[in-house]
């Protein structure tokens, strides 16, 4: 029921109800921006045209119109900023029943001009214990805290989802108990296949709240705005902040000799899938990017207006994006980009999109079509069948991986991450990392 009518009550003080379209016949006809035609009309003919002209143009459009810009100090610092420090605060060499090495890395963010002020985040890492060399790793944010992805008592307690600091085990409830989200992280399968997992709680980086986001975490440390509305039109939203956090986690992975940083797959579910896509687009060190049910603002084409739309997102979720994004709600055809171009920004790196059949809110078909329409950019690199030769707009059979360097599956079931999704990601990573 919840999503039959999207209540746009957070759009200022206006209370509106808009019917959400779940009827394929009512998808408006649309023309997508061509990823291979530059703003001045020039047609991209080569990798060089793409990399020097059109790709930067598309990236800029995504920054201007959708996810926003990092503050100057962060943009200028690039990777490995000297005001971000790492400390392996805990290590267990016999973790998870003797199958893993566990590390808990404290990431401390400081500001060169604001002595005494800092923000801390925790990166939890599991590596297969029997590895004979540096291992490839999946990196992703988690929703409810590092302590929810396994039952190990050693995992530090820190923030709850609502941002409050917690140290007391007895106060944990529901899915926020230790191991409460084991179902979404198939750590045993990941380790068994020879991969590591690195994860951080996104709330450590910035709160996921319209009211508190801009006064929390790294927004408070590096940002100017004090709330959503006081931002300039192109200033960063939460997705950009969380994605920057993933890049800093990558900075650490590059320093750890037990990890092969040239084989890191960034992965995320739902809003954190949107975040993984933006991290993969902005940080080419991520060798694979994986979007699990990321939907509107992630892998799904905005112009289809099926399920969640820009208009709906511009309500209570508008702080995930820059302010300019809200302008396209009523006129998505004027939006300078669409999400197939976000997928194309990964080229020629492997990218994977997963949908769930019952997750209509995220528009599985729109997620699939973004993969299909990113194909011409991958072809520039001489990859003849980037999407496994698929040309049809019809979704593939459920629970089956299709594609090539662009991979896709649609799982039966609801909005979630399941062991089947992980099996697909591991197969995809094997194909690209172990050739
Ligand atoms: C909401 C939101 C989605 C988002 C999802 C999630 O459903 O509308 O855009 O992907 O939450 O992150 O769980």
């Amino acid at each position: 029921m919840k999503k039959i009518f999207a209540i746009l009550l957070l759009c200022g003080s206006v209370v509106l109800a808009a019917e959400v379209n779940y009827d394929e016949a009512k998808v408006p006809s649309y023309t997508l921006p061509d990823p291979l035609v530059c703003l001045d009309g020039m047609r991209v003919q080569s990798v060089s045209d793409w990399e020097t002209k059109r790709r930067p143009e598309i990236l800029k459009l995504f920054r201007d119109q959708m996810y926003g810009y990092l503050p100057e100090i962060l943009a200028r610092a690039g990777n490995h900023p000297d005001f971000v420090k790492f400390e392996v605060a805990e290590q267990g060499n016999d973790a998870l029943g003797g199958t893993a090495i566990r590390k808990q890395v404290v990431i401390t963010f400081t500001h060169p001009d604001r002595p005494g002020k800092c923000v801390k985040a925790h990166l939890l890492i599991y590596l297969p214990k029997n590895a004979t060399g540096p291992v490839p790793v999946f990196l992703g944010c988690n929703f409810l805290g590092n302590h929810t992805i396994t039952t190990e008592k050693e995992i530090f307690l820190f923030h709850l989802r609502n941002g409050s600091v917690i140290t007391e085990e007895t106060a944990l409830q529901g899915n926020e108990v230790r191991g409460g989200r084991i179902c979404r992280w198939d750590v045993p399968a990941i380790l068994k296949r020879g991969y590591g997992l690195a994860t951080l709680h996104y709330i450590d980086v910035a709160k996921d709240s319209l009211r508190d986001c801009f006064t929390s975490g790294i927004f408070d440390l590096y940002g100017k705005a004090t709330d959503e509305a006081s931002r300039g039109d192109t200033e960063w939203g939460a997705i950009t902040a969380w994605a920057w956090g993933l890049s800093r986690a990558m900075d650490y992975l590059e320093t750890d000799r037990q990890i092969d940083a040239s084989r890191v797959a960034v992965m995320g579910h739902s809003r954190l899938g949107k975040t993984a896509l933006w991290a993969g687009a902005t940080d080419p060190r991520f060798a694979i990017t994986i979007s699990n049910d990321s939907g509107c603002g992630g892998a799904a084409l905005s112009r289809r207006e099926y399920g969640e739309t820009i208009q709906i997102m511009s309500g209570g979720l508008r702080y995930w994006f820059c302010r300019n994004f809200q302008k396209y709600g009523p006129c998505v055809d004027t939006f300078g980009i669409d999400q197939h171009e976000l997928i194309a920004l990964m080229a020629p790196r492997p990218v994977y999109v997963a949908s769930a059949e019952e997750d209509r809110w995220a528009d599985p078909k729109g997620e699939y079509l973004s993969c299909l329409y990113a194909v011409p950019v991958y072809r520039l690199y001489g990859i003849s069948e980037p999407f496994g030769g698929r040309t049809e707009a019809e979704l593939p059979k459920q629970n089956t991986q299709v594609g090539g360097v662009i991979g896709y599956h649609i799982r039966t079931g609801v909005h979630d991450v399941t062991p089947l999704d992980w099996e697909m990601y591991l197969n995809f990573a094997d194909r690209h990392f172990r050739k």
Side-chain angles (χ1 to χ4, degrees), residues 182-237:
I182 278 189
C183 54
R184 283 198 175 165
W185 299 91
D186 199 348
V187 183
I190 295 169
L191 295 172
K192 206 159 160 201
R193 299 273 291 259
Y195 291 83
L197 173 71
T199 183
L200 78 157
H201 189 202
Y202 75 136
I203 300 299
D204 289 0
V205 176
K207 279 195 194 176
D208 188 3
S209 142
L210 175 60
R211 210 192 54 195
D212 301 327
C213 180
F214 297 96
T215 49
S216 76
I218 64 167
F219 280 101
D220 182 39
L221 190 59
Y222 304 115
K224 281 200 304 264
T226 49
D227 59 17
E228 193 282 319
S230 63
R231 290 181 299 161
D233 285 345
T234 61
E235 274 178 45
W236 57 341

Side-chain angles (χ1 to χ4, degrees), residues 143 181-186 267-270 292-293 356 411 414-422 425:
F143 275 87
R181 271 291 164 80
I182 278 189
C183 54
R184 283 198 175 165
W185 299 91
D186 199 348
M267 176 272 176
H269 168 60
S270 210
N292 192 93
D293 305 354
R411 173 177 50 71
V414 298
H415 187 72
D416 201 357
V417 195
T418 71
L420 183 126
D421 295 315
W422 277 109
Y425 302 148

Side-chain angles (χ1 to χ4, degrees), residues 3 143 270-271 274 294 296 308 313 317 320 361 415:
K3 283 164 182 173
F143 275 87
S270 210
R271 70 199 66 185
K274 307 181 213 295
S294 63
C296 187
E308 190 172 29
M313 286 208 126
L317 301 177
W320 291 355
W361 181 243
H415 187 72

Side-chain angles (χ1 to χ4, degrees), residues 221-300:
L221 190 59
Y222 304 115
K224 281 200 304 264
T226 49
D227 59 17
E228 193 282 319
S230 63
R231 290 181 299 161
D233 285 345
T234 61
E235 274 178 45
W236 57 341
I239 288 175
T240 290
W242 298 324
W244 187 80
L246 284 170
S247 285
R248 304 294 62 80
M250 181 65 179
D251 291 346
Y252 169 78
L253 301 182
E254 286 190 316
T255 67
D256 189 321
R257 293 219 180 123
Q258 291 177 300
I259 291 167
D260 179 354
S262 72
R263 291 184 295 160
V264 173
V266 65
M267 176 272 176
H269 168 60
S270 210
R271 70 199 66 185
L272 299 177
K274 307 181 213 295
T275 302
L277 286 170
W278 187 228
T282 51
D283 190 338
R285 294 175 300 171
F286 292 120
I288 293 181
T289 302
I290 301 171
S291 146
N292 192 93
D293 305 354
S294 63
C296 187

Side-chain angles (χ1 to χ4, degrees), residues 82-85 108-112 114 117-119 221-222:
D82 56 11
F83 48 83
V84 178
K85 303 269 187 249
T108 305
F109 304 97
T110 58
H111 190 300
R114 301 172 84 177
K117 208 168 158 106
C118 76
V119 170
L221 190 59
Y222 304 115

